[in-house]
C-alpha cells in the first residue's frame, strides 16, 4: 500500500509567468478517500499530474520540492513504474479510451506492460466496475456513464494503489453518478485503494469522502475530515465551493439567530432531522403552488411521433413511440430524464435533424419536413451540449456575427458588440472559442445561439461540466433572455437549474412522457422519481424529511418555516441578495 | 417524380453516410470472413490481388469474379461501399465497354475491354473482402505479424476507435454552418449550381474546426497513452508476441483455403477445356 507525501512542491508551467503550485505540503495516507476542492484554475489537476509522474517526466516545467510515493521520489521513478501505483482518470475521459472494444481497452495497459494475464486482469477490472455485461461491445455503443466506468476500469486493471479521478460525475444523471461513487466506495473499502477525487458536488463529498483538501491559489489551505470541512461554509464559498444545502441553511440560520450559536452544522439529511427538528415554527404555510399558465399560441407540436435509430446491427431500437406534445409560446420548459431517454432526439426532431418514421413535427403550424434548415434557423436556435462544435470561425466575434453577416442584416456590427458586452465577452472577442475556459465557452455559445433573435431557443445540457459558480452565471444569463426569445427548452440533469428556472417540467423515460407539469407536481410524484432517477435539490428532501407540507425548492423557502411570520420583509431582503 | 427525389435526398444525409460507414466497420464482425485468420486472408489477397492482372482469359477471370462476388457477399459489405465499387469500376472501363457496344463494336473490340473490366472488378472485390470484411483490429494484428511497425497497427486500431466520434463531430459542425448560413436561392438553373457550390464550400470549411477540435482532444489522448504504457509496448518484443498469440489458424481457415484452391483449379481446367474446343 502506498502513501503520498508532498514536500515544498512548487511548479511553473513553461512560459507561464506565475507558479501554478506554490510550496504545497500535504500527505495522503493509504486507504484514504480524499476530495480535492478549490475554484477553477487553483491547480487541482496540476497537483494530480505531479502524483503520477506526468509532471516532471512528460510535461516539463520548473519544478522544485519533492513528491514521494512510498518514500521514493517521483523524479527518480519511471512513468511505467508509477503507472502501476497511481491511476488517473481524466475529466474528458472519452479521449483516454484508445481501443475500439471494451475488452481490449480494459486490458490495454496491462498488455503494454507485458503482463501475462492481461486479459484476466482486464476482465476482473470490468467486473469490479460493473461493466462485465458489456465486455464484447464497441466503445461507441456505451453511454456516457459507462464510458466513464470503462476509463476507470482501464486504470484499475493495473491494480494501482492510488486512483485519481478528475470530476467523475460532471455529465451524469444522479442515478449514474451514484453508480460511479458506489464503485469507488467498493474499490476503497474492499480493495483498500486510496481514492482521490476532484469534485464540486459537495453532497457526494459528504456522503463518500473521508478527508477534504482545499487548494487556494496553488497552495493547500487545509486538510480536514470531510464533515468538518463541509462545516467551513464561509471559507468554501469564498472558493466557489457550495457546501450541501442543509449545511448552508443551518449556517444562515445560526447567523440569523434562528438556531443557537453553538450548533454543530449538519452535513446530511439524517443529521439535519435532529438539528432542525425542534425549531420548526410552521409545517404548512399554505403557500400557493406555481401553476403552468395556459398559453394559447402553439409554437411547436409533436403529433404521434415514432422515431427509430438506424442501427448498425439487428433491429433498430425505437427512441420515441407514438409521442405527442404541444409547446406553447412563452413557455420555459425543462426536459429531464436519464441518459438516453430521448431528450436530445426531441430537440433534433424540432430542428429537422432527425425525421420521424411516422407522425409530424410542426413549428408554427408548418411541418418541419417542408422547411429548409436555413428557414428553421430563423425561428429556432439550438445550442449544442459541446460548445466547441459551434465555433466555426477563428474568433468569437466572427462566430457571433457570422449568421447576421451572411444574411446581410443592417448594423450587424453593432448588434455583435451588444451581444459581446451582454455576455461579458468583449475582452475575449478576438480569441478562438476553443481556447476559452468552460464557462466562457458556454457564454459564447449562448451568444451565438441568440444572435438572430430566434423566437425559440433549445439548449442541450447548458450547465454540464461547469462548476457551481459558473452554473449560477449561466442561470443569470438565462434570466436575461426576455423579449423576443421567450420560448426556451432546456434538456438537463441539473435539478437546481430546473427548480430555479423552469415553469413546466417534462419528464421523459424510455421514449414516453411520464410527467408534465410544474415542479411541485413532478417532484412530489414518487413514481416518477423512482423511474428516471431524477433527484430534487437536497433542501426539498430535507423539508419532506421534517414533515413540511409545502415544497421547498430553495434555502429561503425552507428557512421561512423557521421564521416568525412577521419577518416576511427579511425574506424579501434575502431574495434580493440571492440574485445580487 | 417529386416524391422520388425527396425520398432519395432523405436517404442521402450525412447521418446515412455515417451509419453506412459504421455498419461497414463494426456491423459485420460475426461473418465467416471476419472470423478467418488475418494472415491467411492476407496471403489469399496476395493471390487475388495480383494474379488477375496477368491473366487474359475471359472464362478464367469470370470464374474468379464469381468467387470474389461470393466472398464479398459472405463478408456482408455495406451497400454504400458496393455502390462506390460499381461507380469505380464503371468510371474505369465500364463506360468504354458500353460506348463500344453503342457504336457497333463487335466481339473483337469488346473482348479486351471486358477482360480489363473483369480484372479491375476481381481485384477491387478481393480488396473489399479483405479490408472491409475483416475487423480492422485483426487486420492490424495480421500486418504486425508480417513485420509492419507497431505504430501502423496502432494507427489502424485507433482510427477504428475514433471514427464514430469524428463523424458525429463533423456532422454537428456542418450543421452549425447550415443553421447559421444563408444559402443562395435554388429556383433557377444557375441558382442550383450556385447552391451546389455553396454546399461544397461548406463541407470543406467544416474540416477546419474539426481539425482544431481534434487537436484539442488529442492532448489528453497523448498523455493517457503515455500513462497506459504505449511507448513501452513498442520497445518490448514480448508485447508483440503476446498480441500475436491470439492469432490461430483453425479448421475454418483450412476449409476456406481449400475451397479457394479447388475453385481456382476448376476455373483453370474449364478455361483450358474451352480453349481446346475452339
Amino acid at each position: 500500500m502506498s502513501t503520498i507525501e508532498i514536500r515544498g512542491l512548487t511548479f511553473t508551467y513553461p512560459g507561464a509567468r506565475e507558479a501554478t503550485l506554490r510550496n504545497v505540503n500535504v500527505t495522503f495516507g493509504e486507504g484514504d478517500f480524499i476530495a480535492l476542492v478549490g475554484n477553477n484554475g487553483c491547480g487541482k489537476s496540476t497537483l494530480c499530474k505531479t502524483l503520477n509522474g506526468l509532471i516532471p517526466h512528460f510535461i516539463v516545467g520548473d519544478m522544485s520540492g519533492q513528491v514521494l510515493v512510498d518514500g521514493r521520489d517521483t523524479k527518480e521513478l519511471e512513468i511505467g513504474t508509477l503507472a502501476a501505483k497511481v491511476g488517473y482518470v481524466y475529466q474528458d475521459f472519452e479521449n483516454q479510451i484508445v481501443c475500439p472494444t471494451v475488452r481490449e481497452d480494459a486490458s490495454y495497459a496491462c498488455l503494454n506492460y507485458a503482463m501475462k494475464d492481461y486479459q484476466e486482469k482486464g476482465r476482473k477490472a470490468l467486473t469490479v466496475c460493473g461493466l462485465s455485461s458489456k465486455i464484447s461491445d464497441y466503445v461507441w455503443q456505451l453511454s456516457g456513464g459507462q464510458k466513464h466506468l470503462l476509463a476507470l476500469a482501464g486504470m484499475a486493471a493495473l491494480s494501482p494503489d492510488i486512483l485519481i479521478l478528475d470530476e467523475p460525475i460532471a455529465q451524469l444523471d444522479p442515478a449514474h453518478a451514484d453508480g460511479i461513487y458506489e464503485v469507488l466506495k467498493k474499490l476503497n473499502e474492499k480493495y483498500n485503494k486510496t481514492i482521490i477525487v476532484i469534485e464540486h458536488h459537495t453532497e457526494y463529498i459528504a456522503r463518500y469522502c473521508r478527508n477534504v483538501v482545499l487548494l487556494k491559489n496553488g497552495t493547500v489551505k487545509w486538510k480536514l475530515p470531510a464533515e468538518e470541512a463541509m462545516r467551513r461554509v464561509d471559507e468554501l464559498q469564498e472558493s466557489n465551493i457550495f457546501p450541501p444545502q442543509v449545511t448552508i441553511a443551518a449556517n444562515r440560520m445560526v447567523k440569523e439567530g434562528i438556531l443557537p450559536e453553538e450548533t454543530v452544522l449538519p452535513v446530511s439529511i439524517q443529521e439535519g432531522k435532529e438539528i432542525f427538528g425542534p425549531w420548526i415554527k410552521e409545517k404548512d404555510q399554505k403557500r400557493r403552488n406555481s401553476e403552468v399558465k395556459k398559453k394559447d399560441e402553439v409554437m411547436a407540436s409533436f403529433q404521434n411521433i415514432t422515431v427509430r435509430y438506424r442501427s448498425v446491427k439487428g433491429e433498430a431500437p425505437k427512441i420515441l413511440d407514438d409521442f405527442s406534445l404541444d409547446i406553447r409560446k412563452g413557455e420555459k420548459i425543462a426536459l429531464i430524464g436519464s441518459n438516453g431517454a430521448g431528450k436530445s432526439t426531441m430537440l433534433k426532431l424540432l430542428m429537422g435533424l432527425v425525421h420521424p418514421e411516422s407522425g409530424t413535427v410542426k413549428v408554427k403550424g408548418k411541418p418541419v419536413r417542408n422547411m429548409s434548415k436555413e428557414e428553421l434557423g430563423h425561428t429556432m436556435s439550438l445550442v449544442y451540449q459541446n460548445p466547441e462544435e459551434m465555433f466555426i470561425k477563428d474568433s468569437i466575434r466572427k462566430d457571433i456575427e457570422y449568421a447576421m453577416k451572411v444574411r446581410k442584416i443592417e448594423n450587424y456590427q453593432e448588434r455583435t458588440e451588444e451581444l459581446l458586452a451582454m455576455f461579458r465577452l468583449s475582452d475575449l472577442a478576438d480569441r478562438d472559442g476553443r481556447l476559452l475556459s468552460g464557462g466562457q465557452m458556454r457564454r459564447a455559445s449562448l451568444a451565438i445561439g441568440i444572435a438572430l433573435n430566434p423566437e425559440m431557443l433549445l439548449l442541450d445540457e447548458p450547465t454540464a461540466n461547469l462548476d457551481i459558480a459558473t452554473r449560477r452565471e449561466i442561470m443569470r444569463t438565462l434570466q436575461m433572455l426576455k423579449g423576443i426569445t421567450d420560448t426556451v427548452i432546456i434538456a438537463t440533469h441539473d435539478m437546481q437549474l430546473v427548480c430555479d428556472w423552469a415553469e413546466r417540467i417534462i419528464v421523459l423515460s424510455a421514449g414516453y412522457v411520464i410527467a408534465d407539469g410544474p415542479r411541485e407536481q413532478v417532484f412530489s410524484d414518487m413514481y416518477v422519481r423512482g423511474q428516471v432517477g431524477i433527484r430534487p435539490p437536497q433542501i426539498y428532501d430535507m423539508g419532506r424529511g421534517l414533515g413540511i407540507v409545502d415544497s421547498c425548492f430553495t434555502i429561503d423557502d425552507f428557512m421561512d418555516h423557521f421564521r416568525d411570520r412577521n419577518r416576511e420583509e427579511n425574506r424579501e431582503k434575502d431574495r434580493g441578495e440571492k440574485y445580487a | 417524380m417529386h416524391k422520388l427525389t425527396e425520398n432519395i435526398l432523405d436517404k442521402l444525409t450525412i447521418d446515412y453516410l455515417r451509419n453506412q460507414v459504421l455498419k461497414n466497420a463494426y456491423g459485420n464482425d460475426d461473418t465467416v470472413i471476419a472470423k478467418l485468420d488475418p494472415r491467411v486472408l492476407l496471403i489469399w489477397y496476395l493471390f487475388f490481388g495480383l494474379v488477375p492482372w496477368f491473366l487474359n482469359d475471359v472464362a478464367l477471370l469470370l470464374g474468379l469474379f464469381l468467387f470474389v462476388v461470393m466472398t464479398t457477399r459472405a463478408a456482408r459489405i455495406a451497400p454504400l461501399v458496393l455502390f462506390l465499387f460499381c461507380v469505380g469500376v464503371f468510371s474505369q472501363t465500364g463506360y468504354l465497354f458500353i460506348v463500344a457496344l453503342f457504336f457497333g463494336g463487335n466481339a473483337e473490340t469488346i473482348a479486351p475491354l471486358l477482360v480489363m473490366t473483369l480484372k479491375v472488378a476481381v481485384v477491387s472485390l478481393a480488396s473489399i473482402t479483405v479490408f472491409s470484411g475483416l475487423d480492422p483490429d485483426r487486420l492490424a494484428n495480421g500486418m504486425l505479424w508480417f513485420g509492419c511497425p507497431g505504430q501502423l497497427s496502432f494507427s489502424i486500431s485507433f482510427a477504428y476507435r475514433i471514427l464514430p466520434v469524428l463523424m458525429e463531430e463533423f456532422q454537428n459542425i456542418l450543421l452549425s454552418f447550415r443553421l447559421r448560413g444563408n444559402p443562395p436561392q435554388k429556383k433557377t438553373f444557375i441558382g442550383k449550381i450556385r447552391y451546389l457550390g455553396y454546399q461544397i464550400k461548406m463541407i470543406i470549411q467544416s474540416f477546419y474546426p474539426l481539425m482544431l477540435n481534434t487537436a484539442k482532444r488529442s492532448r489528453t489522448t497523448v498523455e493517457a497513452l503515455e500513462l497506459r504504457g504505449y511507448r513501452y509496448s513498442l520497445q518490448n518484443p514480448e508485447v508483440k508476441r503476446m498480441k500475436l498469440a491470439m492469432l490461430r489458424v483453425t479448421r475454418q481457415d483450412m476449409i476456406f483455403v481449400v475451397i479457394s484452391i479447388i475453385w481456382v483449379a476448376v476455373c483453370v481446367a474449364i478455361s483450358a477445356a474451352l480453349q481446346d474446343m475452339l
Side-chain angles (χ1 to χ4, degrees), chain A residues 271-303:
Chain A
E271 289 178 26
K273 271 187 195 165
E274 286 167 29
I275 289 165
F276 293 122
W279 305 93
I280 300 183
K281 289 252 156 61
E282 234 178 327
K283 286 197 174 176
D284 189 1
Q285 297 189 325
K286 309 256 174 347
R287 222 177 305 145
R288 232 164 23 88
N289 283 354
S290 50
E291 273 170 28
V292 176
K293 281 166 239 145
K294 277 283 169 210
K295 285 152 184 153
D296 313 321
E297 198 182 330
V298 174
M299 194 62 198
S301 67
F302 296 86
Q303 293 162 355

Side-chain angles (χ1 to χ4, degrees), chain A residues 49 52-54 58-59 78-81 83 86 88 90 92-101 104-119 136 138-140 147 150-151 154-155 158 309-313 348 351 353-355 369-370 372-374 376-378 382 384 386 388-394 398-400 402-404 406-408 432-436 441 448 452, chain B residues 6 10-20 22-30 76 135-137 141 154 156-162 164-165 168-183 186 195 198-199 202 205-206 208-214 216-234 236 238-246:
Chain A
K49 283 179 187 174
N52 60 12
L54 273 176
F58 197 72
I59 302 165
E78 284 211 58
I79 286 199
T81 325
V86 186
Y88 189 83
Y90 284 82
D92 51 341
F93 53 90
E94 266 219 72
N95 303 326
Q96 179 174 2
I97 301 170
V98 290
C99 297
T101 65
E104 279 171 276
D105 197 77
S107 52
Y108 181 71
C110 296
L111 173 64
N112 283 341
Y113 290 118
M115 299 177 184
K116 285 270 176 303
D117 54 344
Y118 69 100
Q119 285 190 318
S136 357
Y138 289 106
V139 171
W140 55 265
K147 277 184 199 157
L150 175 60
M155 279 295 155
L158 283 170
Y309 260 134
R310 292 198 173 97
S311 76
V312 169
K313 229 181 200 172
K348 284 182 184 163
M351 295 307 286
L353 307 176
V354 174
H355 289 302
R369 194 177 266 275
N370 299 347
S372 70
K373 295 274 176 304
E374 290 75 15
L376 280 165
H378 277 293
L382 171 67
Y384 300 146
N386 185 359
E388 273 115 328
E389 287 160 0
M390 296 193 72
F391 301 136
I392 52 181
K393 294 282 161 187
D394 58 7
K398 284 187 198 159
D399 262 321
I400 295 176
Y402 178 77
M404 296 185 279
V406 293
R407 285 182 170 77
K408 301 193 176 64
D432 189 307
R434 271 164 280 269
L435 302 177
L436 303 178
M441 274 205 289
I448 295 168
L452 284 178
Chain B
E6 197 170 81
D10 240 28
K11 282 235 164 76
L12 261 180
T13 55
I14 295 277
D15 194 38
Y16 172 76
L17 292 179
R18 171 167 165 249
N19 181 259
Q20 287 287 303
L22 289 185
K23 233 182 189 151
N24 201 41
Y26 310 97
N28 45 13
D29 55 357
D30 51 356
R76 254 196 274 135
D135 189 294
D137 227 33
N141 277 341
F154 172 76
I156 295 177
S157 161
F158 184 65
Y160 191 37
R161 146 89 183 101
I162 208 78
V165 180
E168 183 161 347
E169 187 149 318
F170 182 71
Q171 198 181 351
N172 282 340
I173 293 171
L174 191 61
L175 189 75
S176 288
F177 269 105
R178 287 200 68 184
L179 290 176
R180 277 146 68 188
N182 187 24
K186 51 176 178 177
Y195 184 77
Y198 172 81
Q199 297 275 350
M202 219 165 47
Q205 281 181 338
S206 297
Y208 295 101
L210 181 70
M211 279 190 279
L212 293 173
N213 287 350
T214 310
K216 193 179 169 189
R217 73 170 72 233
S218 68
R219 272 173 53 186
T220 303
T221 309
V222 170
E223 282 183 18
L225 278 174
E226 182 68 24
L227 289 179
R228 304 182 74 187
Y230 169 67
R231 212 155 43 90
Y232 288 79
S233 73
L234 292 180
N236 194 346
E238 182 63 23
V239 174
K240 186 172 162 184
R241 212 169 309 136
M242 281 165 63
K243 242 187 227 170
L244 298 181
M246 57 182 169

Side-chain angles (χ1 to χ4, degrees), chain B residues 78 159 250:
Chain B
T250 59

Side-chain angles (χ1 to χ4, degrees), chain A residues 445-461:
Chain A
S445 68
L446 281 174
I448 295 168
I450 62 162
L452 284 178
N453 283 327
E455 290 169 68
M456 186 149 81
L457 185 63
L458 315 177
L459 304 172
D460 200 352
E461 297 277 1

